[in-house]
């Protein structure tokens, strides 16, 4: 193995402070880590002209974003900074100093075969050893580098038959939606070069608005909604001292399942018979997995009519506000809502109770005021040290979707190799997390290329090992999905 570490800094060093919103402050100090996997014809070494060209384009395009925001300029200064928590208890912020730079490691590991990362074109997360593609990018290592950004780092690793670009961002500065917007803009510049004057956004204010968090920093939103009352009631059940939702006993495992385009259609058709209105793909998958995961947890102690389960849904507020935030708003703008049902209702022969509960929650609890009040309430409790009432190690499940983050495969083209898959590789595994992965606009397409997105959807599921074993044997789940 050979490797080389570069530092990427702005052409004109600058200093700045950038606020964090109430949404940002709800997020634990973890990284959102994505691995973009590319195949390449023949042997491609890090020293080849093609590879060197990609390395230069990745750095040059990144440098173009390292400047303070200004009208008509697409900038991401926050990725250069570090999060500062004032000793006086004031609101934390992102600080950029003139000495700061971003670490970019390039590695050549020809002993890793591209074929080892996948089976028949399906990239299982257990086949991707994160240590191979993330040298020195753990939080502990970065803390020891005082002038290197702790907010954003990346590594490009050339292997035999392809390469992997791993990019990670501190979750507290942006959520997966904002990170996806940054990735799309970054890869476009890697592929096409800097925009010409005629390609610059017609409204120069939009690039400034992408960083405007004022509407997510409001401290005294007034009102009362059903969603808020339901949340207040849920918090009354939270013990005075409890562990964060990510802590629990038992070995946690991650699996990716594939639901083909035809099976997805069949699932929605089945659910439509039982629902009051046609369900979306997200609603159908949530309902099915809520039921199936609940079955994996049945014990004599909790298998009673009084046992309740909550299905938590991550909701991005940015496009639900009026007017909406810019499409590529850079920051955290998500909160969560939930539907709750007795486990007995979830486990009935039909999914009627579950699908109707999900649809009702998404209809009633996602209005602007409800989401703002929910976000404010959760933020205040978090600041007081009260963790959300999510029993993710027990009866509850957390659902999220990244399906539409990259509308087309072209969004992942960087001018070398063929994009195959994006994989989410996290610092820690949150139990009971269900994540629909990006489909790149190809949900209802089938591709004969073994290393391209196959159509349908991919669902990444995090569970305790014993529960995952049961899920992989569940007849209802296996009727629609298969393990990658």
């Amino acid at each position: 193995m050979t490797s080389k570490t570069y530092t990427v800094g702005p052409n004109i060093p600058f200093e700045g402070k950038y606020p964090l919103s109430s949404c940002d402050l709800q997020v634990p100090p973890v990284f959102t880590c994505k691995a973009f996997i590319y195949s390449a014809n023949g042997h491609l070494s890090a020293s080849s002209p093609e590879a060197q060209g990609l390395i230069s384009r990745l750095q040059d395009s990144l440098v173009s974003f390292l400047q303070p925001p200004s009208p008509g300029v697409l900038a991401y200064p926050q990725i250069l900074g570090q999060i500062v928590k004032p000793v006086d208890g004031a609101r934390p912020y992102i600080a950029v100093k003139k000495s700061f730079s971003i670490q970019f490691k390039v590695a050549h590991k020809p002993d890793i075969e591209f074929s080892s990362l996948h089976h028949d074109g399906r990239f299982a997360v257990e086949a991707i050893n994160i240590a191979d593609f993330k040298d020195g990018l753990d939080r502990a290592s970065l803390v020891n580098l005082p002038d290197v950004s702790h907010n954003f780092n990346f590594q490009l690793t050339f292997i035999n038959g392809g390469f992997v670009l791993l990019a990670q961002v501190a979750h507290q500065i942006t959520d997966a939606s904002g990170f996806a917007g940054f990735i799309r803009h970054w890869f476009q510049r890697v592929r096409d070069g800097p925009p010409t004057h005629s390609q610059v956004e017609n409204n120069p204010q939009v690039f400034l608005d992408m960083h405007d968090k004022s509407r997510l920093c409001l401290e005294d939103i007034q009102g009362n909604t059903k969603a808020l009352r339901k949340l207040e009631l849920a918090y009354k059940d939270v013990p005075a001292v409890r562990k964060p939702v990510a802590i629990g006993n038992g070995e946690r495992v991650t699996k990716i399942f594939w639901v083909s385009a035809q099976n997805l259609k069949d699932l929605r058709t089945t659910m439509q018979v039982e629902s009051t209105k046609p369900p979306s793909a997200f609603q159908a998958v949530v309902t099915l997995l809520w039921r199936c995961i609940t079955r994996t947890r049945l014990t004599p102690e909790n298998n009673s009519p009084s046992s309740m389960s909550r299905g938590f849904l991550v909701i991005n507020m940015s496009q639900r506000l009026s007017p909406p935030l810019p499409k590529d708003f850079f920051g955290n703008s998500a909160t969560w809502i939930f539907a709750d049902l007795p486990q007995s209702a979830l486990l009935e022969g039909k999914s009627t109770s579950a699908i109707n509960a999900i649809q009702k929650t998404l209809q009633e609890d996602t209005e602007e005021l409800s989401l703002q009040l929910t976000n404010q309430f959760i933020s205040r409790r978090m600041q007081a040290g009260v963790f959300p009432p999510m029993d993710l190690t027990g009866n509850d499940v957390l659902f999220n979707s990244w399906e539409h983050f990259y509308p087309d495969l072209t969004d992942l083209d960087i001018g070398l190799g063929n994009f195959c898959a994006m994989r989410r590789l996290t610092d820690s595994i949150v139990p009971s997390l269900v994540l629909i992965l990006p489909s790149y606009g190809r949900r209802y397409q089938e591709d004969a290329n073994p290393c391209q997105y196959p159509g349908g959807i991919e669902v990444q599921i995090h569970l305790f090992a014993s529960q995952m074993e049961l899920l992989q044997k569940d007849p209802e789940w296996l009727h629609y999905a298969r393990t990658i």
Side-chain angles (χ1 to χ4, degrees), residues 34 36 61 65 74 76 176-192 210 326-329 402-414 438 440:
K34 297 181 179 181
F36 301 91
S61 56
F65 295 130
L74 180 57
Y76 292 95
S177 177
F179 192 33
F182 164 75
I183 291 291
R184 292 195 305 270
H185 287 298
W186 183 26
F187 285 9
Q188 181 180 22
R189 291 195 179 180
V190 173
R191 181 178 66 248
D192 303 331
M210 283 172 50
K327 173 186 173 184
D328 292 327
F329 172 77
W402 291 2
E403 182 181 352
H404 304 295
F405 284 174
Y406 304 99
D408 193 276
L409 282 172
T410 305
D411 294 321
L412 287 312
D413 179 7
I414 54 176
Y440 318 107

Side-chain angles (χ1 to χ4, degrees), residues 340-379:
D340 54 349
L341 282 173
Q343 287 188 164
S344 56
L346 277 170
L347 300 175
E348 290 173 350
K350 293 186 177 181
S351 305
T352 306
S353 297
I355 185 62
N356 289 336
I358 291 293
Q359 290 185 326
K360 182 179 179 182
T361 297
L362 288 170
Q363 178 180 357
E364 294 182 353
D365 296 357
T366 57
E367 298 294 330
E368 179 179 27
L369 179 60
S370 284
L371 291 175
Q372 288 178 315
L373 289 171
T374 294
N375 179 56
Q376 177 178 263
F377 184 86
I378 296 171
S379 177

Side-chain angles (χ1 to χ4, degrees), residues 162-222:
F163 56 91
V164 176
L165 176 62
L166 186 142
Q168 66 178 21
V169 67
H171 200 336
Q172 288 184 312
I173 74 165
T174 191
D175 55 26
S177 177
F179 192 33
F182 164 75
I183 291 291
R184 292 195 305 270
H185 287 298
W186 183 26
F187 285 9
Q188 181 180 22
R189 291 195 179 180
V190 173
R191 181 178 66 248
D192 303 331
T196 64
H197 180 73
S198 61
Q199 293 173 323
V200 173
E201 174 66 49
N202 291 331
N203 181 1
Q205 183 65 27
V206 73
F207 292 147
L208 285 176
D209 292 342
M210 283 172 50
H211 303 286
D212 182 3
K213 300 188 176 185
S214 58
R215 294 169 66 194
L216 297 175
C217 291
L218 301 177
E219 297 289 350
D220 193 21
I221 302 170
Q222 301 298 316

Side-chain angles (χ1 to χ4, degrees), residues 257 292 296 461 463 467-474 477:
F257 297 84
C292 294
T296 71
I461 301 177
L463 288 173
Q467 297 169 0
M468 185 68 76
E469 184 178 353
L470 292 174
L471 181 65
Q472 291 183 283
K473 299 176 182 177
D474 187 281
W477 177 235

